[in-house]
Amino acid sequence: MTRRCQSRLCLLILSTVAVAIALAVDMEAKDESITLKAMGSFYVGGQRTLIQHSGSGAAARPGHIWDGGMYVRYMIPSSNRPKAAVVMWSGGCHTGKSFETTPDGREGWDMIFVRAGHPVYVVDATYRGRSPVSQETLIAARSGDAAPDTLPNLLTCDEEQAAAVRGGFRLRNSNFPIEALDQYLAQLVPDWFFSVQNGPVPNSRALIALLEKIGPAVVLAHSQGGLSVYPTLIARPDLFTAYVAVEALGSCTAITEAGPRFPGGVPVLVMSGDPIEANTPPPFGIDGCKVVASRNPNLKLTIDYLPDAGIRGNSHMMMLDSNNKQIADRIMSWVDRNVNARKSR
């Protein structure tokens, strides 16, 4: 005969087993296979360049490298009715890893968008991550042929900046999986964007090369990525089916400064998350963006401040937050209304 479970320990064991079973069932339900037409990686942009300080441990010598190229990883879903292709561009100190598996092991935006039928291209901005870096200035200074102040100005991100107790990327007390902070900090890399060796120009050239290769696409930029994507959008609107600015730098300043040069025919979504702290204004100048949208009804400009929709708690890294799928679905719904619906007419 089985005795009735009455002790606290027994009840705790039973409740733990019940939770484990529920989690297993939930994971099994989400473990759905996906069929890809193609996946892989390639490089775009840049040029073969002669530098004077090449070689290895021996004395520096002239040599040729590929400078300014950009790494691209892609997944193309197998679908009879493919949706708009999406290029994902990360922010400062980040690589394409931002859009891959989240720090706590959930699917990232790349796979979420692919599951919904979008071909996805995830990039590492030039001079970052898997994209090549020129050793010229480093070895020239090391060998004494150049002054130390010619070394690149590197933007670096640390825990005190990214995960500050107050401010930073608003990771604490938000939807960000703070228990997996170490996994997130490990993906932060030195960033050459503000050095004379790099900046928006090579990034814009690489983005144009990518879009010329794959065809017009939706470009989704996060944070610092806006400083490269906005100039590209203004220069080559023919290569954009839409632009999604996720807490992107320069958003409404770029629109205002461009004036009539800003491409009114390209749908633009400007999205911002929760300021988290009470009595703090919306981040990334979203209030100013609302004013720009109201004064420029000719623009296909959508301002999406998530708390206005009752979506609270999103950090600057919303693609990694616990509700990252909810935000991805929101973006894809906007793309469906503004791009895919227009294509099917």
Side-chain angles (χ1 to χ4, degrees):
M1 179 183 293
T2 303
R3 293 183 178 180
R4 189 174 181 181
C5 179
Q6 294 180 334
S7 69
R8 288 186 178 180
L9 178 60
C10 184
L11 291 172
L12 178 61
I13 292 173
L14 285 177
S15 63
T16 302
V17 170
V19 170
I21 293 172
L23 288 175
V25 171
D26 184 58
M27 289 179 65
E28 183 177 349
K30 292 180 180 178
D31 186 20
E32 300 175 358
S33 62
I34 184 170
T35 303
L36 297 178
K37 179 180 179 181
M39 68 178 296
S41 60
F42 57 86
Y43 285 86
V44 293
Q47 57 282 319
R48 183 173 180 266
T49 303
L50 173 65
I51 61 174
Q52 298 303 314
H53 295 80
S54 191
S56 56
R61 55 165 176 76
H64 289 87
I65 63 167
W66 196 259
D67 190 25
M70 184 174 72
Y71 174 87
V72 183
R73 182 181 63 80
Y74 64 90
M75 290 189 287
I76 313 296
S78 179
S79 174
N80 294 327
R81 301 184 63 184
K83 295 184 178 180
V86 179
V87 174
M88 298 185 176
W89 193 289
S90 60
C93 295
H94 293 77
T95 67
K97 171 61 179 157
S98 300
F99 302 108
E100 298 173 9
T101 309
T102 66
D104 57 341
R106 291 170 292 110
E107 283 190 342
W109 277 4
D110 60 351
M111 187 61 75
I112 292 172
F113 275 69
V114 168
R115 284 191 184 279
H118 293 276
V120 171
Y121 298 81
V122 175
V123 310
D124 286 1
T126 62
Y127 273 58
R128 198 181 312 167
R130 290 162 288 189
S131 296
V133 172
S134 172
Q135 64 266 41
E136 173 66 16
T137 53
L138 302 176
I139 301 180
R142 180 181 176 85
S143 64
D145 293 339
D149 61 7
T150 62
L151 288 169
N153 179 24
L154 293 180
L155 170 66
T156 58
C157 299
D158 54 24
E159 179 177 348
E160 286 70 20
Q161 175 189 359
V165 175
R166 299 186 65 182
F169 296 163
R170 314 192 310 280
L171 303 184
R172 299 188 184 276
N173 304 310
S174 71
N175 295 336
F176 180 83
I178 199 68
E179 72 280 2
L181 180 62
D182 287 353
Q183 278 288 314
Y184 169 70
L185 294 175
Q187 68 179 260
L188 301 179
V189 299
D191 182 343
W192 296 55
F193 186 83
F194 297 107
S195 69
V196 296
Q197 292 84 356
N198 196 30
V201 173
N203 278 286
S204 182
R205 289 173 178 167
L207 178 55
I208 289 172
L210 172 60
L211 295 174
E212 287 180 337
K213 178 182 178 69
I214 67 174
V218 176
V219 180
L220 185 158
H222 175 241
S223 196
Q224 185 205 87
L227 299 181
S228 295
V229 176
Y230 272 111
T232 314
L233 170 60
I234 294 169
R236 292 294 305 274
D238 58 302
L239 296 176
F240 287 70
T241 54
Y243 174 44
V244 177
V246 179
E247 295 207 349
L249 292 175
S251 285
C252 295
T253 301
I255 297 171
T256 302
E257 291 180 349
R261 293 188 299 112
F262 195 83
V266 178
V268 175
L269 171 64
V270 177
M271 176 178 280
S272 176
D274 197 319
I276 306 301
E277 293 185 34
N279 303 317
T280 303
F284 284 79
I286 203 74
D287 284 340
C289 289
K290 292 179 180 178
V291 173
V292 171
S294 65
R295 291 178 178 174
N296 297 273
N298 57 306
L299 299 179
K300 296 182 178 179
L301 179 58
T302 303
I303 309 301
D304 190 6
Y305 178 43
L306 296 177
D308 284 346
I311 303 173
R312 305 306 304 257
N314 280 104
S315 73
H316 182 52
M317 302 303 300
M318 63 182 73
M319 70 290 295
L320 305 178
D321 286 347
S322 59
N323 64 334
N324 71 332
K325 186 177 185 304
Q326 179 187 21
I327 306 304
D329 288 342
R330 191 171 181 84
I331 294 172
M332 289 187 290
S333 293
W334 179 87
V335 171
D336 283 341
R337 294 193 303 271
N338 290 273
V339 178
N340 294 324
R342 185 175 57 178
K343 287 173 59 178
S344 63
R345 291 172 186 166

